[in-house]
Amino acid sequence: MDLEKSPAERPAVPAEGCLTVAIRLPVRIVVLVLVVPVRMLWDALVVGGRFLRDTVLRPVGRVLQWVAWAVFVWPWVTLWRYAVVPVGKALAWLGYVSLVVPAVWIYETVLTPVGHAIAWVARGVGAGFAWVLRGLGAGFAWVLRGIGAVLAWVYARVLTPVGRAVAWLLRGLGIGFGAVALGVYRVVAWLVRHLIVVPALWLYEWILAPVGRAIAWAARGLGWLVRMIFTGIGAALHWTLRVLLVLPALALWRWVLVPVGRVLAVVAREVGDALGHAWRVAGHLSLAVGRFLGRLFRWIFVEPVRWVYRSVLTPVGHLVRDTVLRPAAEAARGVGRVTRQALAAARESARQTRADIRRMLFGTPREPERVPLAKDRREPGAAGTRTLGSSTTALTKD
């Protein structure tokens, strides 16, 4: 059995070191010894689970499904089909006869004529109200036109002159108040300029500006001094931390952790490859053991049972079928045929009885009148048709 791939199928891998080769063989041996029992136990559990599913769980599930349908579904379906539906149809027919038919009769014979009369009266009343409202509207329009003419005369003869006089007076007052406000503004502006602005400008140029420049120069010198102090402290801390922490950590990473990590990576890769290889080998071994056990079970149990079934049970079953089951089936079919005929005769009798009761209660339904076809109205009968041998015209009559 070829457990490795052919050289053409194997992917190209880089050259491996002596450490990889030295680790691979013992790791694979140890992993194979550990994995084979686990794989065989796993395959046994899988086979047992499939056998349990096919022989126990599925039949039990089907039986439970049939029992649930017989207990929960079939009674409700029977109740709906043979009780609720007939009762509903009877109630619907009773409601139609007792409610719909009288309501339609009342609507056609009572409510429709009353509604027509009410509509005729409402149209007359509406026409009278419309005539009255039309007259009232014409009167209100005449009154409104008179009021509008009076208001136009008052606006033109009274309000317009008064408004023009008030506007002339307000324009004069506005000019006077503007002259007074301009004089006051100029006086206040001269006082503010010579009492506040000029002293404040002199104070800023000769006192505040030199003092501010001196304070800014002192602050810049103090900031330079503080920056130089903190720069020296930072450089000292930088070199101290670099020498005490960074360089030892870098040396530990480069000369200890990286080689150990590479060795652990090689070991982990080889363990993973060994697990895969051992799992495949254990699968082939488990398959061989399973086939051997299957053949042994077949030779010990299946073949004797098959021989008993073919040689003993099948002839006995055929004999029972030909001598017992087929005559019983024929008798059952005959009983079913007679039962169906009796039920059909009973249904026909019930149908005839319902028809007789309907005729006694409601009478025979009226036959619809036959409407003559177009050819019956336009074409004469066989006795009145025109032919060449008969004298049906004025020129050929005797």
Side-chain angles (χ1 to χ4, degrees), residues 260-276:
V260 171
R262 290 177 180 174
V263 172
L264 293 178
V266 171
V267 172
R269 186 175 66 249
E270 291 300 324
V271 169
D273 295 341
L275 284 174

Side-chain angles (χ1 to χ4, degrees), residues 117-133:
I118 293 172
W120 182 79
V121 172
R123 283 197 296 270
V125 174
F129 275 111
W131 183 79
V132 172
L133 291 175

Side-chain angles (χ1 to χ4, degrees), residues 20-42:
T20 303
V21 177
I23 291 174
R24 179 175 300 167
L25 187 59
V27 167
R28 288 195 175 185
I29 292 173
V30 173
V31 170
L32 181 62
V33 172
L34 296 177
V35 168
V36 168
V38 177
R39 179 59 186 267
M40 295 184 69
L41 179 61
W42 173 259

Side-chain angles (χ1 to χ4, degrees), residues 34-180:
L34 296 177
V35 168
V36 168
V38 177
R39 179 59 186 267
M40 295 184 69
L41 179 61
W42 173 259
D43 292 339
L45 292 176
V46 169
V47 172
R50 290 177 180 175
F51 177 76
L52 182 64
R53 181 195 62 185
D54 296 335
T55 58
V56 178
L57 297 180
R58 283 185 178 176
V60 171
R62 290 172 183 172
V63 170
L64 291 177
Q65 181 181 2
W66 183 84
V67 170
W69 185 87
V71 172
F72 296 104
V73 178
W74 182 78
W76 295 104
V77 172
T78 305
L79 180 64
W80 173 263
R81 184 176 299 172
Y82 297 105
V84 176
V85 173
V87 172
K89 290 181 179 178
L91 292 176
W93 180 82
L94 183 61
Y96 176 79
V97 172
S98 59
L99 296 177
V100 177
V101 174
V104 171
W105 181 82
I106 292 172
Y107 174 78
E108 292 179 352
T109 58
V110 179
L111 296 180
T112 301
V114 173
H116 291 170
I118 293 172
W120 182 79
V121 172
R123 283 197 296 270
V125 174
F129 275 111
W131 183 79
V132 172
L133 291 175
R134 194 179 299 113
L136 292 176
F140 278 115
W142 183 79
V143 172
L144 290 176
R145 282 198 296 271
I147 294 172
V150 171
L151 292 177
W153 182 85
V154 170
Y155 175 78
R157 302 297 180 181
V158 179
L159 297 179
T160 302
V162 172
R164 289 176 180 175
V166 172
W168 180 80
L169 180 61
L170 292 176
R171 190 181 300 112
L173 292 175
I175 292 172
F177 278 116
V180 172

Side-chain angles (χ1 to χ4, degrees), residues 167-213:
W168 180 80
L169 180 61
L170 292 176
R171 190 181 300 112
L173 292 175
I175 292 172
F177 278 116
V180 172
L182 181 62
V184 172
Y185 170 74
R186 289 181 178 177
V187 171
V188 171
W190 185 84
L191 291 175
V192 169
R193 177 179 178 82
H194 288 82
L195 294 179
I196 297 176
V197 176
V198 172
L201 184 63
W202 181 84
L203 178 65
Y204 174 77
E205 289 181 353
W206 297 102
I207 297 175
L208 296 179
V211 172
R213 292 191 185 98

Side-chain angles (χ1 to χ4, degrees), residues 1-4 28 31-33 35-37 39-40 43 273-289:
M1 183 181 299
D2 189 8
L3 300 180
E4 297 291 340
R28 288 195 175 185
V31 170
L32 181 62
V33 172
V35 168
V36 168
R39 179 59 186 267
M40 295 184 69
D43 292 339
D273 295 341
L275 284 174
H277 183 74
W279 189 261
R280 289 192 296 271
V281 172
H284 289 288
L285 293 177
S286 177
L287 180 61
V289 173

Side-chain angles (χ1 to χ4, degrees), residues 229-239:
I229 292 172
F230 278 103
T231 302
I233 294 173
L237 290 176
H238 170 74
W239 283 104

